Amino acid sequence: MASTTTQFLLACSIISLLACSSANAQLSVNFYAGTCPTLANIVRNVMRQAVTTEPRMGASILRLFFHDCFVQGCDGSILLDDTASFTGEQNALPNRNSARGFQVIDAIKTRVEAACNNTVSCADILALAARDGVVLLGGLSWQVPLGRRDSRTASLSGANSDLPSPFADLPTLISMFAAKGLTAREMTVLSGGHAIGFSQCSLFRNRIYNETNIDPAFATTRKANCPASGGDTRLGPFDNTPNRFDNSYYQNLVARRGLLHSDQVLFNGGSQDATVRTYSNSAAIFLRDFAAAMVKMGNISPLTGTNGEIRRSCGIIN
């Protein structure tokens, strides 16, 4: 049973999210109520099966949504496959050999098309799937404003330039999120998406071997599966509960156990230390703020009305 504090924060969260969704007139939580009433159940059922089979998939889908929204807005552009005449975002440096979960989105799309032909965008499916992955792993739910349409374009250069690097410093992170209309606090709470999932050794090798603001025992543990050379794709968990969406990520930062350089800079004597401490001390506040920030991120430059299209298959333009 949730504590009184958690229940209170959840109630506040619901109020704030409703306000946020209604403030964006372009999107609506009831967008498909009449045209595809089974949409939410379809997405949830496929995501439940995917996460049950592989818990890591919740983190993978969440990352897909983040990488979609930060390039051209939340328009499903990351889902477009390369062809002989089209270059998409999947082989940009931040996505190559790491972006995953496309088959889950395709499975959802197939079922949605069978129920509601040519109605629901891949961009909206991705937004719902990201929410459900978080919830299935223990996070709070939120209402997802819907009505996005799918892009007919993608941007390889945008993916290479707009997605934050795992080696970024704090001012760079704050600036990159600000460019998308997100505050420093929202950057810090969205970084909490690393409450679940894993990173490849090549992205945290320098931190565990060369950085000094790191707990020595933690570094030793990570070195056991990430050699000084080779083994680039070996995985290390972001925190000690990679399959549970909780606030352990922030507790690790306070203990100097952030996995990536871009994780630990959130707690390293800078402007976000107080926010990290707040989240490390209160899972309820973190979960509330994360849900609200996800709604705001999902509102980045959506295609609506007659812009874009409703793709029949998420990997190709109609």
Side-chain angles (χ1 to χ4, degrees):
M1 182 67 66
S3 68
T4 301
T5 300
T6 301
Q7 290 172 335
F8 172 76
L9 290 172
L10 177 55
C12 292
S13 173
I14 291 171
I15 292 170
S16 66
L17 293 184
L18 286 172
C20 180
S21 63
S22 63
N24 188 332
Q26 293 180 310
L27 302 179
S28 165
V29 297
N30 298 314
F31 189 82
Y32 298 109
T35 57
C36 195
T38 59
L39 172 62
N41 285 336
I42 293 171
V43 176
R44 188 177 305 113
N45 288 339
V46 176
M47 282 301 297
R48 182 180 292 111
Q49 182 178 14
V51 171
T52 298
T53 301
E54 183 189 7
R56 182 187 172 201
M57 192 55 67
S60 297
I61 297 297
L62 177 60
R63 184 171 184 262
L64 271 188
F65 184 54
F66 172 77
H67 282 214
D68 184 40
C69 290
F70 261 57
V71 182
Q72 298 189 166
C74 309
D75 61 0
S77 59
I78 194 173
L79 303 174
L80 288 170
D81 299 324
D82 286 0
T83 68
S85 59
F86 178 87
T87 301
E89 298 165 14
Q90 293 179 18
N91 282 305
L93 185 60
N95 296 324
R96 187 186 310 141
N97 300 320
S98 64
R100 59 196 302 275
F102 299 102
Q103 76 280 11
V104 175
I105 301 303
D106 289 342
I108 297 172
K109 179 64 170 175
T110 297
R111 296 193 189 184
V112 170
E113 284 296 301
C116 322
N117 179 255
N118 198 32
T119 301
V120 181
S121 68
C122 298
D124 276 346
I125 287 172
L126 181 55
L128 287 167
R131 186 271 311 274
D132 288 350
V134 168
V135 173
L136 287 163
L137 294 174
L140 285 184
S141 187
W142 61 90
Q143 291 187 302
V144 179
L146 300 167
R148 302 169 189 81
R149 287 167 64 85
D150 296 320
S151 173
R152 296 187 181 96
T153 64
S155 178
L156 178 68
S157 62
N160 279 321
S161 64
D162 292 1
L163 290 169
S165 164
F167 312 108
D169 59 20
L170 183 58
T172 299
L173 291 172
I174 292 173
S175 175
M176 295 185 80
F177 276 73
K180 305 300 178 182
L182 297 164
T183 67
R185 185 181 180 97
E186 287 164 342
M187 178 275 295
T188 298
V189 76
L190 287 169
S191 296
H194 289 174
I196 50 177
F198 299 78
S199 177
Q200 295 185 4
C201 168
S202 61
L203 303 181
F204 61 85
R205 176 182 286 118
N206 185 67
R207 169 149 172 75
I208 62 174
Y209 282 96
N210 297 320
E211 296 189 3
T212 57
N213 60 338
I214 188 168
D215 173 65
F218 172 75
T220 298
T221 299
R222 292 281 73 84
K223 288 175 182 178
N225 195 46
C226 182
S229 63
D232 285 0
T233 60
R234 293 185 183 181
L235 299 175
F238 282 111
D239 66 19
N240 53 323
T241 59
N243 296 328
R244 187 167 74 243
F245 201 88
D246 57 19
N247 66 332
S248 293
Y249 169 77
Y250 296 99
Q251 294 170 349
N252 277 14
L253 297 185
V254 172
R256 297 186 301 149
R257 295 174 183 166
L259 185 63
L260 302 178
H261 179 83
S262 59
D263 292 322
Q264 194 60 56
V265 296
L266 302 179
F267 190 85
N268 195 39
S271 64
Q272 296 308 294
D273 281 17
T275 300
V276 169
R277 282 199 183 277
T278 295
Y279 294 149
S280 73
N281 290 327
S282 174
I285 295 175
F286 160 56
L287 295 175
R288 176 201 67 185
D289 287 2
F290 183 83
M294 285 294 291
V295 173
K296 186 173 178 182
M297 187 180 76
N299 285 339
I300 297 175
S301 304
L303 296 174
T304 58
T306 58
N307 294 317
E309 65 183 15
I310 304 296
R311 286 189 219 131
R312 288 185 291 270
S313 174
C314 292
I316 57 174
I317 298 164
N318 290 345

